[in-house]
């Protein structure tokens, strides 16, 4: 007999939006959770691509939603203003909800307005591209949604599929879903302890990265290792941009692995690093400074026009030199990584902070008992 613990009630969200070119994984994964694992799955996702947005919320906008009915085999489907019965004979799989909001907005609305008290586990993803290392994790809408739900005291997992081959072979999709399912089953069945966790001394959330490599097709699959987050940094994320009708819709639509296609202006995975000088749509700053905005044309002066075009050098690649035991190191080796996280900004041990020192006397404003063992900031 299957218990409620064996069949958790899952909220699935993402930052890539509904199924399509920029969101190739969510339909297959939702179907795997519901069909293969038999889990009760609710899906609430952004109505459009929302990568690199972190844990932002919509606070002034009115968040509107629509019902979405994905169909086999690819998840494309109809939208409706009102809930309606499934057209099972047309291959409709389930009723999802699309919200005109951020991933974190979707998670919070789903937990507190739509399915209040009915969700045991939030899974955010699978993201189209890795979310390994601090440079990506701190900007990730996928992790942002998991952070949001963990702050609502709900067990949460962020899941990302790192792009290694371009384009990603479709025969890797199902093995990745199966591995992700096994990892999350394992986490759900034996959720880790953290004395500093917000929810009953448990780990707040996990960040899981699975590289899309041929090893997924092997009988034994790929290794899965515990990791830490690589504390790296990034440089230029934006590039000076020419106001040009050709480039009206050329921003990267995916995660860290997504890059621009100079042929079509659409998001495409290429072997080059994003933002290299050879990309004709990413005009050099010097060239833009020589241009001028025609009289009467709306827009900023050319020298103050910028487009998101991140320089990924040193962040992605086979020889980035990530520390042993880090999430990026695991991706380098073609291994899946599982990283426990806290839903907070990291804090160094107070003993390591040079600007503070212990005191033996009470602060004149505070009670002596309250100040025992406290280190005062030295002015």
């Amino acid at each position: 007999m299957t218990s409620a613990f064996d069949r958790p009630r899952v909220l699935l969200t993402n930052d890539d939006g509904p199924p399509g070119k920029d969101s190739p994984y969510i339909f297959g994964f939702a179907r795997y959770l519901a069909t293969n694992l038999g889990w009760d799955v609710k899906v609430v996702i952004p109505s459009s691509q929302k990568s690199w947005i972190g844990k932002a919320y919509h606070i002034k906008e009115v968040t509107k939603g629509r019902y979405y009915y994905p169909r086999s085999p690819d998840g494309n489907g109809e939208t409706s203003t009102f809930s309606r019965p499934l057209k099972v004979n047309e291959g409709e799989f389930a009723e999802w909800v699309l919200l005109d909001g951020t991933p974190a907005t979707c998670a919070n609305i789903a937990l507190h307005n739509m399915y209040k008290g009915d969700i045991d586990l939030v899974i955010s993803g699978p993201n189209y591209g890795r979310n390994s290392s601090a440079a990506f994790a701190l900007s990730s809408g996928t992790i942002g949604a998991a952070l949001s739900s963990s702050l609502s005291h709900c067990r949460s997992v962020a899941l990302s599929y790192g792009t290694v081959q371009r384009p990603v072979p479709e025969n890797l999709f199902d093995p990745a879903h199966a591995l992700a399912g096994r990892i999350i089953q394992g986490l759900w069945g034996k959720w880790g302890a953290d004395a500093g966790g917000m929810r009953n001394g448990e780990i707040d959330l996990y960040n899981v990265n699975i590289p899309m490599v041929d090893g997924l097709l092997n009988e034994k699959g790929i290794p899965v290792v515990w990791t830490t987050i690589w504390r790296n940094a990034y440089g230029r994320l934006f590039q000076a941009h020419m106001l040009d009708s050709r480039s009206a819709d050329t921003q990267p639509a995916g995660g860290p692995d997504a890059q621009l296609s100079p042929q079509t202006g659409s998001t495409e995975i290429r072997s080059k690093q994003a933002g290299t000088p050879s990309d004709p749509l990413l005009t050099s700053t010097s060239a833009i400074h020589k241009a001028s905005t025609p009289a009467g044309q709306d827009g900023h002066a050319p020298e103050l026009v910028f487009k998101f075009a991140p320089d990924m050098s040193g962040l992605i690649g086979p020889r980035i030199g990530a520390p042993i035991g880090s999430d990026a190191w695991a991706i380098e080796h073609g291994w899946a990584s599982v990283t426990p996280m806290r839903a907070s900004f990291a804090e160094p041990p107070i003993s390591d902070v040079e600007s503070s020192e212990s005191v033996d006397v009470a602060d004149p404003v505070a009670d002596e008992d309250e100040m025992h063992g406290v280190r005062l900031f030295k002015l």
Side-chain angles (χ1 to χ4, degrees), residues 348-358 375-379:
I350 193 67
S351 59
D352 293 342
V353 181
E354 295 180 356
S355 60
S356 62
E357 63 179 33
S358 59
R375 301 167 68 89
L376 291 180
F377 185 86
K378 183 179 180 180
L379 295 175

Side-chain angles (χ1 to χ4, degrees), residues 147 150-153 194 196-202 204 343:
L147 285 168
S150 67
L151 287 171
S152 291
H153 295 95
D194 177 7
M198 296 184 301
R199 185 189 55 257
N200 302 320
E202 290 187 341
D204 289 342

Side-chain angles (χ1 to χ4, degrees), residues 20 37 48 70 102 145 254 280 311 330 348 354-355 376:
L37 299 187
S48 61
T102 66
D311 177 7
E354 295 180 356
S355 60
L376 291 180

Side-chain angles (χ1 to χ4, degrees), residues 1-151:
M1 182 176 179
T2 302
S3 67
F5 185 83
D6 294 328
R7 190 175 183 265
R9 300 167 298 178
V10 174
L11 169 66
L12 182 62
T13 189
N14 73 355
D15 71 358
D16 291 327
K21 181 181 178 182
D22 298 326
S23 184
Y25 302 131
I26 189 165
F27 177 69
F29 186 63
R31 187 170 53 185
Y32 182 87
L33 293 177
T35 303
N36 295 67
L37 299 187
W39 288 4
D40 181 6
V41 181
K42 310 294 185 186
V43 179
V44 181
I45 56 179
S47 57
S48 61
Q49 228 286 338
K50 291 290 187 295
S51 284
W52 289 84
I53 205 165
K55 199 181 71 61
Y57 294 99
H58 280 174
I59 59 172
K60 291 189 176 181
E61 301 87 345
V62 175
T63 301
K64 299 180 180 180
R66 297 179 299 284
Y67 295 96
Y68 182 73
Y69 299 91
R71 294 190 301 264
S72 296
D74 55 11
N76 289 325
E78 297 178 352
T79 58
S80 173
T81 306
F82 303 99
S83 178
R84 61 164 175 77
L86 294 180
K87 300 176 183 177
V88 180
N89 60 330
E90 296 182 16
E92 288 186 346
F93 164 72
E95 181 181 79
W96 295 3
V97 173
L98 308 182
L99 294 179
D100 297 333
T102 66
T105 300
C106 291
N108 191 270
I109 288 177
L111 287 176
H112 295 283
N113 299 89
M114 298 175 59
Y115 309 114
K116 187 174 177 63
D118 292 333
I119 299 298
D120 303 310
L121 172 67
V122 173
I123 303 173
S124 181
N127 188 65
Y128 186 18
R130 74 197 70 193
N131 274 306
S132 58
S133 79
F136 298 139
L138 289 170
S139 303
S140 167
T142 300
I143 296 178
L147 285 168
S148 172
S149 52
S150 67
L151 287 171

